[in-house]
Amino acid sequence: MPATLVKIHPDNPEMRKVRQIADALRDGAVVIYPTDTVYGLGCDIHNTRAVERVCQIKGIKPQKINLSFICYDLSHIAEYASVSTSTFKIMKKALPGPFTFILAASNNVPRILHTNKKTVGIRVPDNLIPRSIVQELGNPIITTSIRDDDEVIEYSTDPELIYEKYRNLVDYVVDGGFGNNIASTVVDFTTDSPEVIRAGMGDITQYV
């Protein structure tokens, strides 16, 4: 059965549609959704089978894949990561925004993902659609970027083209308008001095 395409307004997400996606995630759906950078692929962090499907779609073993959590805000961050006061202050200034913060994982992360991961990526995108979905769901969702096979275009930006490509692999594609083709800036905060692992849309130097 092909995926359902759901259009959600990026500035004023319709709560009926947000609930529809949150309920589907709760039931184990794999969903493609917009962020403030590129479109993401993900699922409820508590659904092991759905996490395995995400890894399968990406063609990577669950133990090897670097998955990040999309959170609504920083209020529950301590459940998933160990954060120093100085790092938390930087996150508070930089988020919501186009950053992925690599942090030391709390004991909950290996239990949730059934891996021995020592780190976790945390995202609070500046986009109301994924944040509203997470808020309605009541916990973070797994996120990983959708990469394109095209040699010129690294990331797909057109939700209708994304739908055509992934319609038989996922359960829902959320159309929140055209996405960006530059991914988030990934910053490793697990050491004393933050290190940019991947330069993307965000400039972390203005917050450090």
Side-chain angles (χ1 to χ4, degrees):
M1 189 171 161
T4 302
L5 181 66
V6 180
K7 289 194 176 190
I8 298 182
H9 197 283
D11 300 322
N12 188 21
E14 302 90 334
M15 282 313 298
R16 178 182 59 80
K17 294 180 179 179
V18 167
R19 280 191 208 99
Q20 179 186 1
I21 300 299
D23 288 344
L25 286 164
R26 213 172 275 121
D27 289 340
V30 172
V31 177
I32 290 173
Y33 40 81
T35 71
D36 53 350
T37 56
V38 299
Y39 266 76
L41 166 74
C43 64
D44 185 340
I45 60 171
H46 295 297
N47 194 300
T48 307
R49 179 72 194 106
V51 173
E52 287 171 356
R53 279 182 64 199
V54 168
C55 295
Q56 201 172 18
I57 292 166
K58 292 282 283 189
I60 302 173
K61 291 180 180 177
Q63 295 79 9
K64 301 278 186 184
I65 199 165
N66 291 317
L67 298 168
S68 297
F69 291 0
I70 287 186
C71 302
Y72 175 72
D73 57 22
L74 298 179
S75 60
H76 301 295
I77 211 85
E79 286 182 44
Y80 309 106
S82 302
V83 191
S84 67
T85 304
S86 59
T87 299
F88 188 80
K89 284 179 179 175
I90 293 168
M91 293 177 76
K92 210 169 174 185
K93 285 188 282 186
L95 300 174
F99 300 98
T100 300
F101 283 76
I102 306 296
L103 305 168
S106 73
N107 291 333
N108 284 337
V109 172
R111 183 173 54 77
I112 290 166
L113 297 182
H114 301 282
T115 69
N116 57 357
K117 283 280 183 188
K118 301 289 193 294
T119 60
V120 63
I122 297 294
R123 283 274 278 130
V124 182
D126 189 11
N127 186 310
L128 284 175
I129 294 174
R131 290 179 66 217
S132 298
I133 291 168
V134 164
Q135 189 177 34
E136 181 66 28
L137 182 63
N139 56 255
I141 54 177
I142 289 286
T143 189
T144 181
S145 301
I146 290 178
R147 296 182 76 89
D148 206 292
D149 299 328
D150 193 294
E151 290 180 8
V152 179
I153 305 166
E154 191 173 3
Y155 297 99
S156 296
T157 60
D158 185 335
E160 293 191 4
L161 292 179
I162 291 171
Y163 176 75
E164 287 304 317
K165 182 175 179 179
Y166 289 94
R167 60 185 296 176
N168 295 316
L169 295 172
V170 302
D171 302 297
Y172 284 85
V173 174
V174 177
D175 179 351
F178 274 79
N180 287 299
N181 61 358
I182 302 172
S184 64
T185 294
V186 180
V187 191
D188 187 344
F189 276 89
T190 60
T191 57
D192 293 336
S193 53
E195 182 185 354
V196 175
I197 303 296
R198 180 183 71 197
M201 271 187 71
D203 177 14
I204 197 66
T205 57
Q206 61 185 308
Y207 303 109
V208 178

